């Protein structure tokens, strides 16, 4: 690692823990790794000799594949573990499971868990590096980093931009991670959705909160749509999916309120024609697939930086 690097952490747990300088350094490092991904030969030896274990206790498609591909591009040795095929099903504690993985000389653990705080709990108890790939409704730092990378790449900056995040804020780790990252880099953040799904206490962090889609869209440079997370909530937060789509879905009718050059984003998976119409998801303002592409570079950067701080 460069002795002048501002990155000194063996773990990436949340963006709440990072400074603006550290976040910017990750984004700058990711920009260099994106160049690697454009080469004919896309592998580099940055993690050669390091062992990375992907521990996904909760289902994932994009994040898991993205991390695994990032590890391959960095030449790491990779082990994949899921709850269904582990001793967790036999009653072993999470800490014991991770300590056993560490005893096998693993260097890094990439973890997704349904319990908020699980990666933080482990990071203070094990020597190997922990990268949070999403924990409950708490944090998803690499998703927020790839969102910010995409915004900066497309619009040239983050400071001063108006970013509206619309949908199920209450249950969204993506919204929380984007909030901390965007605010630290100087963006103006708006949360919008049904009042039952957008707690007013986010205003204390400096977020504008509204329950009117039009107000959230006017003046926005970026519109990030979130799906309704039925798996994390009980019923009764809004009358029906159809009603939600009519009032808060971004479609041809509501498109009139956003800037013609505004970015349309979504962390996936998309519930088409609910929070976002297919027409707009596949339209010229959509950068959804670019987010996926940039996620690879961002995760390569995170793994590289974290591995460089291991003792």
């Amino acid at each position: 690692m460069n002795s002048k690097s501002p990155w000194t952490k063996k773990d990436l747990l949340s963006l709440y823990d990072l400074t603006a300088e550290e976040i910017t350094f990750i984004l700058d490092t990711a920009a260099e790794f994106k160049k690697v991904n454009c080469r004919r030969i896309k592998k580099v030896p940055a993690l050669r000799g390091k062992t990375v274990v992907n521990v996904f206790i909760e289902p994932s498609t994009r994040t898991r594949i993205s991390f695994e591909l990032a590890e391959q591009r960095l030449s790491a040795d990779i082990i994949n573990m899921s709850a269904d095929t582990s001793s967790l099903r036999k009653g072993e504690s999470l800490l014991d499971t991770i300590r056993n993985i560490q005893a096998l000389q693993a260097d890094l653990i990439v973890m997704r868990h349904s319990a908020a705080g699980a990666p933080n709990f482990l990071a203070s108890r094990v020597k190997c590096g922990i990268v949070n790939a999403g924990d409950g409704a708490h944090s998803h730092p690499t998703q927020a980093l790839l969102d910010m990378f995409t915004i900066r790449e497309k619009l040239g900056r983050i400071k001063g931009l108006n970013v509206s995040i619309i949908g199920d804020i209450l249950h969204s780790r993506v919204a929380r991670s984007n909030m901390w990252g965007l605010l630290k880099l100087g963006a103006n953040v708006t949360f919008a959705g049904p009042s039952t799904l957008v707690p007013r206490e986010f205003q204390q962090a400096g977020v504008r909160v509204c329950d009117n889609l039009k107000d959230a869209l006017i003046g926005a440079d970026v519109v990030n749509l979130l799906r309704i997370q039925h798996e994390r909530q009980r019923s009764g937060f809004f009358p029906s999916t159809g009603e939600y789509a009519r009032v808060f879905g971004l479609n041809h009718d509501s498109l009139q309120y956003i800037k013609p050059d505004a970015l349309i984003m979504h962390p996936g998976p998309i519930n088409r024609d609910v929070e976002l119409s297919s027409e707009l998801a596949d339209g010229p303002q959509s950068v959804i697939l670019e987010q996926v592409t940039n996620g690879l570079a961002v995760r390569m950067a995170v793994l590289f930086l974290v591995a460089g701080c291991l003792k």
Side-chain angles (χ1 to χ4, degrees), residues 10-230:
K10 78 170 184 69
D11 311 296
L12 176 66
L13 304 175
S14 78
L15 297 195
Y16 178 83
D17 305 323
L18 304 187
T19 65
E21 182 185 22
E22 289 170 329
I23 293 171
T24 300
F25 188 70
I26 294 174
L27 300 182
D28 291 343
T29 305
E32 294 304 311
F33 277 115
K34 186 166 183 179
K35 296 175 185 177
V36 171
N37 289 322
C38 294
R39 299 176 185 169
R40 186 173 63 86
I41 298 176
K42 300 177 174 63
K43 282 192 122 179
V44 293
L47 291 190
R48 181 177 295 164
K50 299 289 186 183
T51 299
V52 184
V53 182
N54 298 309
V55 180
F56 278 68
I57 312 300
E58 190 179 54
S60 171
T61 301
R62 276 158 301 280
T63 301
R64 181 166 187 163
I65 292 173
S66 182
F67 265 113
E68 187 172 348
L69 187 54
E71 293 150 13
Q72 290 175 350
R73 295 279 170 88
L74 294 170
S75 303
D77 297 318
I78 305 164
I79 302 294
N80 291 316
M81 192 199 95
S82 64
D84 289 341
T85 57
S86 75
S87 292
L88 290 169
R89 293 201 64 179
K90 301 177 182 178
E92 185 175 57
S93 73
L94 178 63
L95 180 57
D96 281 340
T97 297
I98 300 305
R99 280 176 170 166
N100 276 276
I101 292 173
Q102 180 176 261
L104 294 170
Q105 307 304 310
D107 299 290
L108 287 170
I109 293 175
V110 176
M111 167 169 284
R112 169 164 289 191
H113 203 287
S114 58
N120 301 66
F121 171 79
L122 294 173
S124 62
R125 290 166 172 81
V126 297
K127 293 180 180 179
C128 53
I130 302 290
V131 176
N132 185 0
D135 61 325
H138 174 238
S139 183
H140 195 351
T142 58
Q143 178 65 49
L145 287 166
L146 72 89
D147 290 345
M148 290 187 288
F149 183 95
T150 304
I151 293 170
R152 192 178 74 162
E153 183 179 61
K154 300 296 290 186
L155 300 181
R157 62 188 173 95
I158 292 177
K159 186 175 182 179
L161 293 179
N162 298 317
V163 181
S164 291
I165 302 175
I166 300 166
D168 184 356
I169 305 297
L170 178 63
H171 301 96
S172 176
R173 56 193 172 208
V174 173
R176 287 169 172 80
S177 293
N178 266 283
M179 174 184 74
W180 292 119
L182 289 166
L183 289 175
K184 288 183 179 188
L185 295 191
N188 305 306
V189 180
T190 295
F191 282 169
S195 58
T196 52
L197 292 175
V198 188
R200 290 282 168 180
E201 48 261 39
F202 282 113
Q203 292 174 327
Q204 299 172 16
V207 173
R208 173 179 170 241
V209 174
C210 63
D211 54 14
N212 182 286
L213 180 63
K214 178 180 177 181
D215 291 344
L217 296 179
I218 292 176
D221 299 292
V222 179
V223 181
N224 199 344
L225 288 308
L226 305 177
R227 70 183 178 88
I228 301 300
Q229 299 194 40
H230 296 288

